[in-house]
Amino acid sequence: MSFQLKIITIVTVACIICTGTAMYIASQEAQVEGEQSLINKGEAILTRLEASRDYVANQGLLRETIADLVQKYPNGDLPEEQKQKVLNVVPIYASLKIGMKNARKDKYKFRVAARDARRKTNEANELERSFLERFEEDPDLKQITYKDKEKNAMWVMRPVRLSEDQGCLECHGAPSTSPFGNGQDILGFKMENWKDNKLHGMFAVISSLEPIQAAVTETNVTLAKWGGGITVAVIAIVFFLLKGPMNILNNISARISSASQRNLQSSDSLKGTAQSVSAASTEQSAAIQETMASMSEMSSMISRTISVAKDTEKMATELNDKTNQGQKVMTGMVDSMNSIKQANERLNEMIGIIKDISSKTNVINDIVFKTQLLSVNASVEAARAGNHGKGFAVVAEEVGNLAQVSGQAAEEIRDMLEKSQRHVEAIVTDTNSRVEEGERVSKDALSSFKEISDGINTIHSYARNVNEATVQQEEGISQISEAMGQMDTASQQNSKMAEQVSLMSGELHHQSQELATLNNETQLLVKGRLDHGPGQFQSPAPQSQPQAQASGGKVLSFFAKGHGPENHAGEAPAGQAPAEPQAPPAQAEANQEPSNFNGTSKPDLSKFKKAL
Amino acid sequence: MSEAILQTSEQLENDKYLVFRVGTSYYGISLSEIVEVTEKLDTVPTPNTPDHVIGVVNLRGEVITVVDTRHLLGQEKSESHLNFVIVVNTDKGKVAALVDQMIDVRQINKEIIEESTSSIQSEANSHLLGIAKAEDRLIYILRFKDFIQEALSRLNGER
């Protein structure tokens, strides 16, 4: 049920109640007034009756009439008209008659009730007897009003008491006073021997309540009409008056809802950020420790570097001397190469000589060839000579053979010469190339030596620079170590702050959830239902509590990393307020960690400074 | 050769041959058929002669005809290879036959000369005495004078 509807309902109900109340009060008042007026009317009538009774009594006609009639009719046998004459002067009868007269016209019923009434119609019924008893009991009671719900009528009753003054006892008195002495009154009724002021009966004016009720109903109808009209008008006015503000309220509620959602997200992301910051600071601490260790290593390295640089400087000087010697040796080698070159030229000359010798073997070959021809021709001649030329043939043949042998020898010589020439040539080319290579190499070596010498000089200067640089490095490292110390404290502060931020984000989360809950409640109030949009919490209270706890647990477990299971036990209990019971352990963790840093890093630093 | 020297004088007379090479084949001719052996001489070409006649040379004042044995023996023609001259006496005078190379003068026993078979058909077939199986190679034994003479007469007959 929306707020607007509620307000309208309230207004409507209020209007209805007001109208109802007005109607009730009005009807009551009308009723009472009507009844009072009826009573007044009754009273007035009864007063008039009493007045008329008194009036009639004051005439004093009754005694006179009785005396007359007693004279006239001493036997007491009165005609009816005489009896009527007597009745007409009886005060109570007069008032009774007056009461009866115009009763219908004036809208009331007149009733006379009496016990032991002379007329049976006037005998009191049970209700009337009760009233009579009341009158009897209290002689001072002048009047009784009674509302008869059964007959829907208002009774106004007054007692009728006997009065001597009014001559009541003339008829109802002691029988001894009977006019005829027979114990009967003038009309022949037995005298009751009543005393003065004896309750004889009562007059009752009974008015119907119906007209009053009709008036009340009419009033009610009018009031209901007016009330209904006013209610409708008020509802319309309220509806139009509330329309604008309700829209604004809805809008605000939606904005609060989205804001609280954003808040929730921001708090979550803040928490995440805080966790990452915390993790980062832990990593940073570790990194700082590592860096410290590295720094001390670096410091020892630097001191080693210094000694190495000094050694290098010394070595460079020695090496420079050696290089100079090498240079000299290389110069000598170049000279040697030149002599080898000259020797090679001589070998070349030798090749020329070998060629000459080779050409001489050609001459030998020529001779051999010719000798062979000659030997063939000699053989031919010997053959022609027949038996005489037989010996010559043998000689010719031998000559031919010798020529052949010498030809072979010459051939061999030539082969050998060619071979040796080739060898020598190969040696010469080889030597030449090697000498050239040697020359080149020695020149290269020489230049290399020069370069080496230059390099060594450079190394020398570098080593000196390295020396200076390492001294500066040492200073730098000491500065870095100071910076590291500062970073260490900073990271400790970081981790503390991250922890605080984490706690605060948990709180923020909690608050934003509370805000969401409030907003939901507001929405529930305003709209009478929940929008199932993003960021609405259907049942915020049971959800938010464990969530908040879980987040608290996360923070805690993060800080409790590597610190035993007792911390995990701390996050287990459910139904606790998330922030307060967990904050002390988290803080304890946070304090523990920095103390760890202090415990390890400070000696590191001192060690490190000592190394410097 | 040393074996040859140890032969009896009777045998020597008949069995001495000059071995020479023409192209890829080796030939042996009796020393009795040869006038002399020289190096190649400057040849003067003669016109209107058949292919196997190269020209004429002046051998110590005597003009003699020069024939190409490569052509006659059916070998591939190549004058640059012909470095030696064998001079033989024919009916028509001395003739210089150009050959590739002189090998040696050797004794060839009749026993190792196999009669030529009719299966070998060639220009020189009619003048082939046989084939000697020397230890290193086969040597065609020719009646060189008749071979040259016939070649020359065939030239004349054609004219």
Side-chain angles (χ1 to χ4, degrees):
Chain A
M1 202 186 214
S2 75
F3 189 55
Q4 197 175 6
L5 203 60
K6 269 182 189 169
I7 287 172
I8 287 167
T9 310
I10 287 163
V11 167
T12 310
V13 168
C15 283
I16 287 165
I17 287 168
C18 282
T19 311
T21 312
M23 278 163 75
Y24 176 75
I25 290 166
S27 67
Q28 282 298 309
E29 236 160 71
Q31 185 93 26
V32 168
E33 252 173 54
E35 280 171 11
Q36 194 59 49
S37 74
L38 284 183
I39 290 164
N40 289 347
K41 186 175 117 188
E43 278 174 353
I45 289 165
L46 288 170
T47 310
R48 288 282 159 263
L49 290 183
E50 277 169 6
S52 64
R53 196 172 65 191
D54 287 347
Y55 178 76
V56 172
N58 286 343
Q59 296 291 312
L61 285 174
L62 183 58
R63 278 180 196 140
E64 282 174 25
T65 308
I66 287 168
D68 278 355
L69 284 174
V70 168
Q71 277 179 344
K72 273 184 189 170
Y73 309 95
N75 59 344
D77 202 4
L78 271 78
E80 275 301 305
E81 50 191 65
Q82 291 304 318
K83 279 185 182 178
Q84 192 59 48
K85 212 175 173 179
V86 172
L87 277 176
N88 283 343
V89 292
V90 171
I92 201 82
Y93 185 76
S95 64
L96 198 146
K97 278 285 174 193
I98 292 165
M100 290 290 187
K101 205 170 183 180
N102 290 337
R104 187 162 296 171
K105 194 182 162 192
D106 291 340
K107 288 175 187 169
Y108 68 92
K109 192 178 159 196
F110 186 71
R111 168 85 178 148
V112 181
R115 278 178 295 186
D116 308 323
R118 288 186 178 176
R119 287 190 194 190
K120 288 298 158 197
T121 51
N122 289 348
E123 184 66 40
N125 59 24
E126 208 173 315
L127 180 70
E128 288 159 352
R129 267 204 298 278
S130 70
F131 295 131
L132 287 172
E133 276 165 16
R134 277 174 64 192
F135 279 125
E136 219 163 36
E137 278 165 16
D138 186 4
D140 294 330
L141 186 64
K142 298 291 179 203
Q143 186 175 306
I144 291 174
T145 56
Y146 169 68
K147 191 176 171 186
D148 187 358
K149 282 175 186 164
E150 212 171 296
K151 286 178 179 162
N152 200 22
M154 181 59 79
W155 295 48
V156 180
M157 292 161 286
R158 281 195 184 172
V160 178
R161 296 176 192 278
L162 295 181
S163 167
E164 202 172 0
D165 295 340
Q166 288 179 356
C168 293
L169 294 180
E170 295 296 322
C171 293
H172 302 287
S176 55
T177 59
S178 169
F180 301 107
N182 58 352
Q184 287 180 341
D185 66 6
I186 191 80
L187 293 175
F189 291 103
K190 194 184 175 214
M191 290 181 71
E192 287 95 342
N193 193 26
W194 289 342
K195 299 290 183 288
D196 188 25
N197 214 27
K198 157 87 168 74
L199 182 73
H200 180 47
M202 64 173 189
F203 284 169
V205 175
I206 302 160
S207 314
S208 175
L209 285 168
E210 265 172 27
I212 293 164
Q213 277 165 351
V216 165
T217 311
E218 201 183 334
T219 311
N220 278 351
V221 165
T222 313
L223 272 175
K225 276 177 187 169
W226 275 101
I230 288 164
T231 306
V232 167
V234 165
I235 285 166
I237 289 162
V238 165
F239 180 78
F240 286 111
L241 279 179
L242 277 179
K243 204 174 178 185
M246 281 312 289
N247 282 343
I248 291 163
L249 208 58
N250 272 341
N251 200 6
I252 287 166
S253 165
R255 271 154 64 184
I256 287 170
S257 174
S258 70
S260 78
Q261 179 59 22
R262 280 202 301 275
N263 229 5
L264 210 61
Q265 284 168 359
S266 328
S267 79
D268 282 345
S269 69
L270 188 63
K271 199 195 305 173
T273 309
Q275 283 172 8
S276 356
V277 166
S278 187
S281 73
T282 313
E283 274 173 37
Q284 206 182 17
S285 289
I288 286 166
Q289 275 187 306
E290 276 173 35
T291 311
M292 291 284 198
S294 304
M295 292 290 283
S296 69
E297 270 176 43
M298 253 169 83
S299 157
S300 65
M301 290 286 276
I302 283 167
S303 46
R304 254 157 67 195
T305 308
I306 290 169
S307 68
V308 167
K310 274 175 187 165
D311 288 353
T312 307
E313 218 177 314
K314 214 162 70 186
M315 293 272 278
T317 317
E318 281 173 24
L319 210 65
N320 210 7
D321 295 347
K322 293 254 168 80
T323 311
N324 286 338
Q325 282 175 19
Q327 242 170 313
K328 275 176 196 162
V329 168
M330 282 322 289
T331 319
M333 206 169 114
V334 170
D335 291 349
S336 306
M337 283 292 171
N338 283 334
S339 355
I340 290 169
K341 228 174 166 184
Q342 284 169 7
N344 227 22
E345 277 165 22
R346 293 218 181 92
L347 270 179
N348 263 339
E349 285 168 21
M350 232 171 88
I351 288 168
I353 291 162
I354 287 167
K355 273 182 185 165
D356 284 354
I357 294 168
S358 188
S359 66
K360 291 290 183 281
T361 58
N362 283 343
V363 176
I364 294 167
N365 269 341
D366 212 30
I367 291 163
V368 165
F369 175 72
K370 286 201 166 130
T371 312
Q372 272 181 321
L373 268 184
L374 278 174
S375 108
V376 169
N377 280 326
S379 294
V380 167
E381 288 302 330
R384 195 173 297 148
N387 281 334
H388 302 290
K390 267 175 190 171
F392 185 64
V394 172
V395 172
E397 202 169 314
E398 278 308 310
V399 168
N401 287 342
L402 284 173
Q404 201 162 10
V405 168
S406 60
Q408 278 169 358
E411 203 60 31
E412 278 169 22
I413 288 164
R414 203 175 62 184
D415 282 355
M416 279 160 77
L417 280 174
E418 274 174 7
K419 220 184 266 175
S420 62
Q421 187 191 335
R422 275 202 300 275
H423 275 226
V424 171
E425 269 173 358
I427 287 164
V428 166
T429 347
D430 209 30
T431 315
N432 260 347
S433 68
R434 285 199 185 158
V435 163
E436 273 167 26
E437 204 182 319
E439 244 175 4
R440 195 167 47 76
V441 165
S442 60
K443 269 176 192 166
D444 284 357
L446 210 59
S447 66
S448 295
F449 269 118
K450 262 180 195 162
E451 278 171 25
I452 287 166
S453 182
D454 292 349
I456 284 163
N457 284 336
T458 318
I459 287 168
H460 199 266
S461 65
Y462 279 176
R464 204 165 288 158
N465 286 351
V466 165
N467 235 342
E468 286 167 19
T470 39
V471 169
Q472 284 174 356
Q473 266 181 13
E474 275 180 339
E475 284 172 23
I477 278 169
S478 70
Q479 283 170 1
I480 287 168
S481 70
E482 275 173 38
M484 281 288 156
Q486 286 169 1
M487 263 170 82
D488 196 15
T489 47
S491 80
Q492 280 170 35
Q493 281 172 357
N494 258 4
S495 95
K496 271 181 195 167
M497 273 153 74
E499 175 213 330
Q500 280 173 0
V501 168
S502 180
L503 285 174
M504 275 156 71
S505 74
E507 188 64 27
L508 190 61
H509 188 92
H510 186 68
Q511 278 174 5
S512 53
Q513 275 177 339
E514 220 163 278
L515 187 62
T517 313
L518 284 173
N519 187 43
N520 281 355
E521 280 169 13
T522 309
Q523 265 195 357
L524 203 62
L525 182 71
V526 169
K527 289 185 181 171
R529 64 188 157 77
L530 287 179
D531 282 347
H532 299 292
Q536 290 295 334
F537 292 84
Q538 291 298 88
S539 52
Q543 250 182 13
S544 65
Q545 203 67 353
Q547 243 178 2
Q549 254 189 340
S551 64
K554 260 186 209 168
V555 172
L556 187 103
S557 67
F558 168 73
F559 280 111
K561 229 176 237 175
H563 284 278
E566 70 274 8
N567 293 313
H568 294 284
E571 63 182 308
Q576 281 184 344
E580 280 139 273
Q582 280 166 358
Q587 223 152 22
E589 289 312 318
N591 289 338
Q592 210 173 335
E593 276 204 297
S595 76
N596 269 356
F597 282 142
N598 290 338
T600 52
S601 66
K602 288 281 160 66
D604 261 12
L605 260 174
S606 61
K607 218 198 292 179
F608 176 60
K609 273 171 185 164
K610 258 184 224 168
L612 280 176
Chain B
M1 297 298 155
S2 54
E3 285 169 33
I5 295 163
L6 294 170
Q7 301 286 328
T8 56
S9 58
E10 288 84 7
Q11 282 173 313
L12 274 172
E13 196 182 359
N14 294 320
D15 298 332
K16 282 244 171 154
Y17 290 86
L18 173 68
V19 179
F20 60 90
R21 182 176 63 84
V22 175
T24 52
S25 304
Y26 293 86
Y27 300 92
I29 53 174
S30 177
L31 285 182
S32 55
E33 287 184 308
I34 300 167
V35 177
E36 69 170 296
V37 180
T38 65
E39 283 180 84
K40 188 184 179 179
L41 301 166
D42 291 335
T43 310
V44 179
T46 48
N48 297 322
T49 50
D51 289 343
H52 57 267
V53 177
I54 292 169
V56 289
V57 291
N58 181 3
L59 182 68
R60 285 186 289 273
E62 199 176 356
V63 174
I64 53 178
T65 311
V66 180
V67 293
D68 182 359
T69 51
R70 271 185 170 249
H71 189 268
L72 286 175
L73 291 168
Q75 298 280 356
E76 195 184 342
K77 189 170 180 176
S78 171
E79 278 192 41
S80 62
H81 283 95
L82 297 167
N83 292 320
F84 292 91
V85 176
I86 299 168
V87 183
V88 289
N89 238 335
T90 64
D91 298 343
K92 293 186 170 108
K94 287 178 180 172
V95 175
L98 284 173
V99 298
D100 282 7
Q101 196 187 356
M102 290 292 158
I103 304 302
D104 55 10
V105 176
R106 67 171 74 179
Q107 195 103 27
I108 297 173
N109 293 327
K110 291 255 191 254
E111 292 82 58
I112 63 160
I113 298 174
E114 227 165 71
E115 292 277 321
S116 69
T117 55
S118 57
S119 62
I120 303 165
Q121 294 292 331
S122 80
E123 191 86 45
N125 207 9
S126 50
H127 307 290
L128 186 67
L129 284 172
I131 298 166
K133 293 174 283 184
E135 61 267 31
D136 49 352
R137 56 180 74 99
L138 290 176
I139 301 166
Y140 296 101
I141 308 296
L142 286 174
R143 278 201 294 271
F144 197 61
K145 200 174 87 180
D146 296 345
F147 173 65
I148 298 293
Q149 200 168 293
E150 196 198 292
L152 282 175
S153 66
R154 195 170 36 180
L155 160 76
N156 289 337
E158 277 167 17
R159 283 205 180 149

